[in-house]
Amino acid sequence: MQSQKSFATHTTGTLYLVPTPIGNLGDMTVRSIETLKAVAVIAAEDTRHTQQLLNQFEITTKQISFHEHNKESRIPELVARLVAGEDIAQVSDAGMPSISDPGHELVKAALEADIPVVPIPGASAGITALIASGLVPQPFMFYGFLERRPKDQIAELQGLLTHTETMIFYESPHRLAKTLANISEVFGDAHPVVLARELTKRYEEFLRGSAQELADWAANNEVRGEFVLMIGGNEHVVNPHEEDPLADLTALEAVAALVAHGMKGTAAVKKIAKERELDRQKLYLEYQGVPK
């Protein structure tokens, strides 16, 4: 067990994890500004982007680049500077470091070197979207980005089908339509989904509806901006400690029951076939009414 109680006894520097605004510069906290002014160096995901923020608040601290493509070489350098007594602030382009952005590996390396790590609270797109989504806010699960390849994403979503908590994802505009179509296929057309974009900015927007409605919207409109995508928890998941309500049904009846609760036919067939170790293609043909 590792305990971090006091920094007074440390002769090393401290690693500060500093959040930056997700859109509205007014969300930059006083503590974040003071920290960025006080540290020896700022490790930034994109130094050009961060420089605009520093200029806004008259912060003259020097920057060093720290991102996904140079982290292997940069982490030993940053840890060495911390060990030598320098305080370092790490920032991402927007929001909290380490959340779908670089940072976790640096935190881990700092802790292994017995360097204090101090998180500063601030803006987070996922939480900001969740509380205004209208979906159940707790429990929730933050997932981040889904797999990009369609086959992998479908499998990933199927693995999430049994979750009863609200699920939070990030998605880019050019992949949104396909992701929503996959969600509709796996979770069912009627499943509740909420999209949020341009959070804290002038054109902040929430889109609430069924998976199919939002998939249709994304397919027929020009999609712009980075999105927070939230999926309502599955209310029809069977409690493993209770009797399975589908246990006494035939495979076809079980598929029909799942479809009646909003699941797509193909997803329902795959689920029942897997659970009962049946031939999926044969079960699908029977479900479609095709003679054996």
Side-chain angles (χ1 to χ4, degrees), residues 171-177 223-227:
E171 191 53 280
S172 63
H174 64 277
R175 292 198 300 267
L176 183 69
V223 179
R224 294 181 178 180
E226 299 296 321
F227 284 80

Side-chain angles (χ1 to χ4, degrees), residues 2-289:
Q2 184 183 40
S3 176
Q4 178 182 305
K5 293 183 178 180
S6 173
F7 307 144
T9 59
H10 280 267
T11 58
T12 66
T14 296
L15 174 62
Y16 293 93
L17 306 177
V18 181
T20 55
I22 59 176
N24 192 319
L25 290 178
D27 295 331
M28 188 70 171
T29 70
V30 173
R31 186 182 176 197
S32 292
I33 295 171
E34 291 176 345
T35 300
L36 293 180
K37 287 182 176 180
V39 296
V41 67
I42 299 169
E45 182 181 2
D46 183 334
T47 55
R48 292 170 299 180
H49 179 87
T50 301
Q51 190 60 53
Q52 298 175 22
L53 180 70
L54 301 184
N55 292 342
Q56 177 70 27
F57 295 101
E58 300 180 347
I59 300 169
T60 58
T61 307
K62 293 182 178 180
Q63 295 188 75
I64 185 171
S65 65
F66 175 62
H67 48 72
E68 188 66 27
H69 304 294
N70 72 354
K71 64 184 180 183
E72 296 299 328
S73 60
R74 193 67 87 193
I75 287 176
E77 177 185 348
L78 293 172
V79 170
R81 295 180 70 159
L82 287 161
V83 170
E86 292 187 12
D87 290 336
I88 296 177
Q90 196 240 321
V91 302
S92 61
D93 286 347
M96 301 292 289
S98 296
I99 303 298
S100 294
D101 283 316
H104 167 68
E105 296 90 344
L106 177 58
V107 170
K108 185 177 179 181
L111 293 174
E112 289 174 350
D114 198 28
I115 294 165
V117 177
V118 176
I120 296 177
S124 174
I127 298 296
T128 302
L130 174 65
I131 61 174
S133 67
L135 299 174
V136 178
Q138 59 188 42
F140 72 87
M141 177 182 70
F142 175 80
Y143 197 89
F145 286 94
L146 288 161
E147 292 285 348
R148 296 187 179 187
R149 293 176 58 186
K151 183 178 179 180
D152 294 338
Q153 188 180 91
I154 288 287
E156 200 171 20
L157 288 168
Q158 288 171 338
L160 295 170
L161 194 56
T162 58
H163 283 261
T164 57
E165 66 272 23
T166 298
M167 292 163 273
I168 305 173
F169 307 86
Y170 290 161
E171 191 53 280
S172 63
H174 64 277
R175 292 198 300 267
L176 183 69
K178 185 59 180 176
T179 295
L180 286 167
N182 289 340
I183 290 170
S184 181
E185 176 181 340
V186 174
F187 282 81
D189 293 344
H191 200 83
V193 174
V194 177
L195 298 175
R197 63 175 172 177
E198 298 294 297
L199 289 170
T200 76
K201 300 178 183 178
R202 181 179 180 182
Y203 296 108
E204 175 178 284
E205 182 177 18
F206 282 83
L207 298 167
R208 304 174 178 89
S210 69
Q212 186 61 60
E213 287 171 340
L214 294 185
D216 290 343
W217 172 84
N220 294 292
N221 288 275
E222 183 177 4
V223 179
R224 294 181 178 180
E226 299 296 321
F227 284 80
V228 178
L229 187 162
M230 292 160 285
I231 302 176
N234 195 334
E235 299 177 356
H236 308 295
V237 174
V238 176
N239 187 329
H241 301 292
E242 297 178 354
E243 184 179 352
D244 184 352
L246 304 180
D248 294 331
L249 303 180
T250 66
L252 282 177
E253 289 172 340
V255 169
L258 291 175
V259 171
H261 281 100
M263 189 181 294
K264 277 288 186 69
T266 52
V269 167
K270 184 172 183 178
K271 176 179 173 62
I272 296 302
K274 182 178 180 181
E275 289 178 352
R276 302 192 182 189
E277 299 181 347
L278 301 173
D279 184 303
R280 184 174 64 180
Q281 184 64 23
K282 182 179 178 181
L283 180 59
Y284 183 75
L285 291 174
E286 291 177 353
Y287 169 68
Q288 293 285 58

